[in-house]
Amino acid sequence: MKKSLVVLLTIVILTTIVTGCSSKESDKLKIGVLIYKYDDTYISTVRQALEAESEKDPEVTLLMNDSQNDQSKQNDQIDILIEKGVDALVVNIVDIGAASAVIDKAKAADIPVVFFNREPDTEVLNTYEKARFVGTKPEEAGIIKREMMAEVWESGDYDRNGDGIMQYVMLKGDADNPEAIARTEYSVKTLNEKGIKTEEIGLQVANWDNEKANQAMESWLGKYEDKIEFVIANNDGMASGAISALQNAGYNKGDGGKYIPVFGVDATDEAKSLIEKGVMTGTVKQDGEGMAKAVYALVVNAAKGKDFLDGTDYEYDETGISVRIPYQPYK
Ligand code: CA
């Protein structure tokens, strides 16, 4: 009994202290942050960098939410954040098709919203003057990857059937995400423009997922093992799934034996380590920290009622509402 009384008193005292502090808390800007899912390596780097930015900033509190890859959950989280009186929203949307619904909520509450990474249609963003987007230039990842692939193709002996054509398999992130489409399209189209002939012998939408990519690769190896000359993945998670399947079939063991070049995007720690071990070929670095800094600067400006770009070096692209963070090669 005595023990529980002490616990109770402690709780009362702590609550008083916390409540005491929260009068100061209420002067802070509250920014609701919605992450499509915490369980995504690249997005985690952006999330942590956002948190690091806010820790340096006594004027701002971030209210972080894991939408667990569920758009209806994300919509509920937005409603709750708006009820809590947030001054602005940062949205890494689950389903880009839901962007206009999200914008309607922000508009009704008259608060700015900065989308990042997963890009809503510009037309949809343009329906609200307080909506912006921070992302990459999706085709740039493809173009940088093209340069790396061309270099590898031209320097090595990977034309297994000697027909002068690069036979490849493609692991695509998802069917309608513009980032996935651009990464897929540009990595190959620009290779062709460089005079390298290509033939796609397999394309699988593997949802950015390691396990799904692993299964696809296993099935391709079963069907046309001798034909596959290059493996192209829209992200490193899928590239690493493909590498496990290749290793099971005796390839890419880092021992100087049979090797099929594999390319990803993101430069995750796992991919960097695979590249160092000589079992993966190259990836493209998304600057997660750079993206977080841009998102943070824009949303805090807007939450203060300033222009999104006030006091920053960022510029909009041709849409007039999107800021692009550059990619870099990693091999
Ligand atoms: Ca060939």
Side-chain angles (χ1 to χ4, degrees):
M1 285 297 277
K2 267 187 185 169
K3 205 174 178 186
S4 63
L5 191 65
V6 171
V7 170
L8 190 67
L9 275 174
T10 313
I11 289 168
V12 170
I13 291 163
L14 281 175
T15 312
T16 314
I17 292 168
V18 170
T19 318
C21 288
S22 73
S23 62
K24 263 187 185 171
E25 284 286 312
S26 66
D27 299 335
K28 286 189 175 189
L29 286 174
K30 279 186 287 187
I31 295 172
V33 182
L34 300 115
I35 302 293
Y36 98 97
K37 61 170 184 175
Y38 278 15
D39 179 24
D40 175 307
T41 315
Y42 166 67
I43 292 298
S44 291
T45 66
V46 181
R47 174 168 59 93
Q48 283 154 13
L50 272 174
E51 283 168 339
E53 286 298 303
S54 83
E55 275 158 25
K56 290 186 284 186
D57 187 347
E59 292 180 30
V60 172
T61 306
L62 297 184
L63 306 177
M64 305 295 294
N65 287 261
D66 179 1
S67 302
Q68 295 173 5
N69 209 17
D70 178 346
Q71 187 60 50
S72 64
K73 178 176 288 249
Q74 187 168 71
N75 291 345
D76 293 344
Q77 290 168 331
I78 291 172
D79 291 338
I80 292 167
L81 288 167
I82 288 174
E83 266 171 43
K84 284 185 181 166
V86 291
D87 299 289
L89 290 170
V90 169
V91 182
N92 174 214
I93 202 160
V94 176
D95 171 9
I96 52 167
S100 61
V102 170
I103 284 177
D104 286 345
K105 289 178 193 291
K107 212 191 248 179
D110 192 31
I111 54 172
V113 53
V114 175
F115 292 89
F116 77 97
N117 169 253
R118 300 180 143 215
E119 183 169 9
D121 284 345
T122 305
E123 275 176 33
V124 174
L125 290 172
N126 269 327
T127 61
Y128 185 37
E129 72 282 5
K130 292 183 184 172
R132 293 292 186 276
F133 175 72
V134 179
T136 49
K137 204 172 178 180
E139 63 272 28
E140 195 182 45
I143 291 166
I144 290 174
K145 205 150 83 173
R146 169 277 311 254
E147 298 295 337
M148 276 195 293
M149 291 196 295
E151 205 180 303
V152 170
W153 177 254
E154 280 159 359
S155 68
D157 186 18
Y158 298 110
D159 186 10
R160 298 174 75 187
N161 63 356
D163 65 353
I165 299 169
M166 179 199 292
Q167 274 81 18
Y168 68 88
V169 291
M170 172 76 77
L171 292 158
K172 197 171 166 179
D174 63 49
D176 57 0
N177 179 318
E179 182 86 26
I181 293 165
R183 286 180 184 186
T184 307
E185 202 176 291
Y186 281 86
S187 58
V188 177
K189 196 167 90 182
T190 47
L191 264 180
N192 303 150
E193 281 163 9
K194 282 201 94 156
I196 295 171
K197 288 184 189 151
T198 57
E199 184 192 354
E200 182 175 277
I201 54 174
L203 180 139
Q204 178 66 46
V205 172
N207 297 70
W208 311 104
D209 184 72
N210 180 293
E211 189 53 37
K212 287 202 177 79
N214 182 269
Q215 287 159 7
M217 192 69 222
E218 206 174 84
S219 135
W220 285 326
L221 284 166
K223 274 189 250 173
Y224 15 70
E225 177 177 341
D226 297 336
K227 276 185 155 181
I228 302 168
E229 296 172 345
F230 263 53
V231 179
I232 309 172
N234 283 170
N235 76 346
D236 286 338
M238 294 190 292
S240 112
I243 288 167
S244 321
L246 283 165
Q247 290 178 327
N248 282 339
Y251 293 86
N252 295 37
K253 300 203 150 194
D255 56 3
K258 295 192 288 183
Y259 182 80
I260 296 177
V262 180
F263 298 87
V265 177
D266 288 342
T268 60
D269 288 341
E270 186 193 17
K272 289 181 192 169
S273 138
L274 292 172
I275 290 170
E276 259 151 50
K277 285 182 197 147
V279 301
M280 180 168 165
T281 317
T283 183
V284 183
K285 189 174 179 278
Q286 288 206 61
D287 183 1
E289 213 170 289
M291 178 164 306
K293 284 195 164 133
V295 168
Y296 192 84
L298 265 67
V299 78
V300 169
N301 270 336
K304 290 178 178 169
K306 296 182 189 170
D307 184 83
F308 283 93
L309 300 187
D310 190 74
T312 72
D313 293 330
Y314 300 110
E315 286 170 7
Y316 294 126
D317 67 2
E318 67 283 355
T319 64
I321 48 166
S322 301
V323 170
R324 306 286 171 181
I325 308 300
Y327 281 101
Q328 289 143 0
Y330 187 97
K331 54 194 173 177

